[in-house]
Amino acid sequence: GESVGLHLPTLSVQEGDNSIINCAYSNSASDYFIWYKQESGKGPQFIIDIRSNMDKRQGQRVTVLLNKTVKHLSLQIAATQPGDSAVYFCAERGSNTGNQFYFGTGTSLTVIP
Amino acid sequence: NAGVTQTPKFRILKIGQSMTLQCAQDMNHNYMYWYRQDPGMGLKLIYYSVGAGITDKGEVPNGYNVSRSTTEDFPLRLELAAPSQTSVYFCASNWGQGSYEQYFGPGTRLTVT
């Protein structure tokens, strides 16, 4: 099966600092990646996505970077706010698995006021 | 729109009992999914459906069954519940066919004792 892993299970940052959450994936054929945010007691919520033909994609306060050479994905959150405290998951779509996505274990982000 | 709704929110089952987790979406999405999330872990795909009348197995289908008689509903059936099925279950949906962002329900927390 697929293997999507995260380098750090927990991350604490000061409010206003930038956060970087990392993700490693194993399937070099994966063609699409999504970052989700999951707040306590809720379902995951889409943050940003990126296709494998891109290296970088920016959203509002978030940037996703994709390094296909080392099969690494990162999510950067600018000016982290207390409301950003949550668990963040990366998910990869293997290009040969239709709409199946494989989720990483998750990184718990805590923002210190 | 209500989005993706799930019932019940919580349930305790005894070993060997059966139950159905309900999932409905009002976004006219073609694709629907069932995931389980064990404590401190990512989501694992149980079953998915690309349209009414079509279902397929995901990573961890054993012990579960699904049906998709309408576009809106995608119930998950547990037969002969086991303690290993204690988990939080999430239903999700999306358009599919190039639109991969999944919309998740709030989850059902199931305990089997």
Side-chain angles (χ1 to χ4, degrees), chain A residues 32 34 36 38 41-44 46 51 89 93 99-105, chain B residues 31 33 35 37 40-43 45 48 59 90 94 98 100-102 104-105:
Chain A
Y32 183 78
I34 300 179
Y36 285 94
Q38 186 177 26
K42 296 183 179 179
F46 173 91
R51 295 187 182 275
F89 294 96
R93 173 182 177 266
N99 251 254
Q100 289 198 47
F101 278 82
Y102 298 88
F103 285 74
T105 306
Chain B
Y31 288 61
Y33 311 80
Y35 294 91
Q37 184 177 32
M41 302 294 289
L43 285 78
L45 182 65
Y48 67 102
E59 292 179 85
F90 289 100
N94 67 1
Y100 301 116
E101 174 188 348
Q102 294 185 20
F104 284 83

Side-chain angles (χ1 to χ4, degrees), chain B residues 24-103:
Chain B
Q25 53 91 9
D26 62 359
M27 297 172 281
N28 205 30
H29 285 165
N30 295 318
Y31 288 61
M32 296 187 74
Y33 311 80
W34 273 107
Y35 294 91
R36 59 176 288 172
Q37 184 177 32
D38 297 331
M41 302 294 289
L43 285 78
K44 297 287 188 185
L45 182 65
I46 305 171
Y47 271 96
Y48 67 102
S49 169
V50 300
I54 305 169
T55 62
D56 211 342
K57 296 178 180 178
E59 292 179 85
V60 291
N62 291 343
Y64 307 94
N65 277 301
V66 293
S67 59
R68 184 95 183 271
S69 57
T70 66
T71 300
E72 294 78 18
D73 301 297
F74 191 39
L76 177 71
R77 178 80 177 163
L78 278 73
E79 304 281 3
L80 299 174
S84 61
Q85 293 179 304
T86 294
S87 191
V88 180
Y89 291 83
F90 289 100
C91 180
S93 70
N94 67 1
W95 290 108
Q97 299 300 323
S99 174
Y100 301 116
E101 174 188 348
Q102 294 185 20
Y103 295 79

Side-chain angles (χ1 to χ4, degrees), chain A residues 75-89:
Chain A
L75 176 70
Q76 300 178 1
I77 304 173
T80 314
Q81 302 169 359
D84 294 327
S85 292
V87 177
Y88 290 81
F89 294 96

Side-chain angles (χ1 to χ4, degrees), chain A residues 21-80:
Chain A
I21 300 171
N22 296 304
C23 178
Y25 63 95
S26 61
N27 184 359
S28 57
S30 292
D31 65 349
Y32 183 78
F33 304 87
I34 300 179
W35 280 100
Y36 285 94
K37 173 186 181 183
Q38 186 177 26
E39 295 175 340
S40 181
K42 296 183 179 179
Q45 183 178 13
F46 173 91
I47 302 173
I48 192 168
D49 60 357
I50 188 168
R51 295 187 182 275
S52 60
N53 60 356
M54 302 170 70
D55 298 323
K56 179 179 179 179
R57 188 149 192 242
Q58 288 185 290
Q60 188 177 9
R61 281 202 307 118
V62 294
T63 301
V64 55
L65 299 177
L66 176 62
N67 185 331
K68 295 180 286 294
T69 302
V70 295
K71 291 184 285 188
H72 183 269
L73 198 66
S74 69
L75 176 70
Q76 300 178 1
I77 304 173
T80 314

